[in-house]
Amino acid sequence: MSGTSAPSRKGLSKIACNRLQKELAEWQVNPPSGFNHKVTDNLQRWVIEVNGVPGTLYSNETFQLQVDFPEHYPMEAPQVIFHAPAPLHPHIYSNGHICLDILYDSWSPAMTVSSICISILSMLSSSTVKQRPTDNDRYVKNCRKSPKETRWWFHDDKV
Amino acid sequence: MESEIGESTSRPSCSVNGGNEAGDFECNICFELAQDPIVTLCGHLYCWPCLYRWLRLHSHSHECPVCKALVQEDRLVPLYGRGKTPTDPRSKPIPGFEIPNRPTGQRPETAPPPNPNDFSNFGLGATGGFVPMASARFGNFAMSAGFGGLFPSLFNIQVHGFPDATVYGSTSGFPYGYSGAFHGGHAHGFPQTGTQVQQADNYLKMLLLLIGVSVLIALIWS
């Protein structure tokens, strides 16, 4: 499992810290439905429980998302991966890496953990088939620890 | 920070619950009350240091972080409020990376000063043209509909150069007996002053009187 990761080595900047505290407070007041964040002392790593939406392929399944924030969050995207076992999905690799453009090239500092979660749940919910990406084995064998170091190619906007 | 964050001491944290009182003025990047606030043409508010750093250091394209509209730096609009805090914690967190001053606002020319001659022109040419302007000025009284009938007639008088009561009587703009009588008293005063002072001053005085009368009517009616 690609648990420990590069971005958590450097502490959060003051701006990042302030923003995360705001996001955390907002989450506590108004969490996105289907998600459960067990608040810890560690502001830099959030582990979030994801509940599959009833009526979709993932209903009654629960997954763990790990979100690691870089020093210059929100200028830089957080690193988001699934803990094992990652959901079976055409865009989610068995090592938990997620092929989703907003986590990499299309990141914007106006996005939040909450909005990321909703995007991921939407990606899960719109899936029509439970399978790994076609290049799963090759990717998992060769990839770096952090998906942020992968050169992603975003090609499928249906799921 | 636990549950209800009502009116806590630090202002930015107030906006945490959905209400968003200060939220309208929070930067879309740092989520704090915007410092050196700047607005994109698409209407999204940022701290200038936040937006600058995003556009210059981190983003691959010059897009608005909220809506992805193209952002041109020379077309940003700064917001100038009243206060200005000289210390900006966000402006110098990265050594060696200077954030320049905000782009300045684009300032259209000032409106031309009101020309007293314009009044007579107005009166001569189109009395009707004056009415909207008058009603705009005296709009506070919320009686502009009622005045609409009065103003043209009053300005007719002005055009004719402070007429006496006969001319006054011949103007047709006084449909209401009550207000006509009211104005009549004042109108008779005009010729006296008109003989002593210059014409330009008269116009001004008349205007003032008109305002006074309007206020009186407004007070009476309300």
Side-chain angles (χ1 to χ4, degrees), chain A residues 43-57:
Chain A
L43 196 62
Q44 196 162 6
R45 169 173 293 177
W46 295 20
V47 178
I48 299 166
E49 200 178 87
V50 189
N51 297 301
V53 179
T56 69
L57 292 180

Side-chain angles (χ1 to χ4, degrees), chain B residues 152-164:
Chain B
S153 61
L154 283 173
F155 283 104
N156 273 341
I157 301 164
Q158 186 181 337
V159 169
H160 296 309
F162 303 104
D164 54 20

Side-chain angles (χ1 to χ4, degrees), chain A residues 18-19 22 74-75 106 108 110, chain B residues 12 28-29 31 50 54 65 68:
Chain A
N18 287 345
R19 210 191 105 148
K22 277 173 160 281
M75 293 298 177
S106 300
S108 138
Chain B
N28 278 292
I29 292 178
F31 293 7
C50 288
W54 168 249
K68 309 234 176 233

Side-chain angles (χ1 to χ4, degrees), chain A residues 136-153:
Chain A
N136 183 68
D137 294 346
R138 188 161 44 95
Y139 175 78
V140 172
K141 207 162 70 185
N142 299 318
C143 73
R144 308 277 189 92
K145 233 176 188 175
S146 167
K148 290 182 75 180
E149 291 169 57
T150 300
R151 274 201 148 178
W152 293 100
W153 180 48

Side-chain angles (χ1 to χ4, degrees), chain A residues 86-155:
Chain A
L88 269 176
H89 185 281
H91 297 165
I92 299 172
Y93 292 87
S94 54
N95 63 354
H97 290 196
I98 307 165
C99 179
L100 179 63
D101 62 346
I102 59 159
L103 299 178
Y104 314 104
D105 299 11
S106 300
W107 167 254
S108 138
M111 292 175 187
T112 61
V113 184
S114 183
S115 73
I116 292 172
C117 284
I118 291 166
S119 293
I120 289 175
L121 193 57
S122 155
M123 191 179 95
L124 284 180
S125 300
S126 57
S127 175
T128 53
V129 53
K130 270 184 154 182
Q131 64 176 38
R132 290 284 173 219
T134 47
D135 61 338
N136 183 68
D137 294 346
R138 188 161 44 95
Y139 175 78
V140 172
K141 207 162 70 185
N142 299 318
C143 73
R144 308 277 189 92
K145 233 176 188 175
S146 167
K148 290 182 75 180
E149 291 169 57
T150 300
R151 274 201 148 178
W152 293 100
W153 180 48
F154 308 105
H155 52 92

Side-chain angles (χ1 to χ4, degrees), chain B residues 105-169:
Chain B
Q106 292 167 24
R107 187 168 178 270
E109 284 183 38
T110 52
N115 184 355
N117 293 334
D118 284 350
F119 288 110
S120 55
N121 287 345
F122 257 107
L124 274 174
T127 45
F130 206 98
V131 176
M133 190 179 165
S135 56
R137 286 238 173 121
F138 307 126
N140 305 359
F141 301 114
M143 296 174 68
S144 44
F147 286 152
L150 299 181
F151 281 127
S153 61
L154 283 173
F155 283 104
N156 273 341
I157 301 164
Q158 186 181 337
V159 169
H160 296 309
F162 303 104
D164 54 20
T166 55
V167 181
Y168 192 76

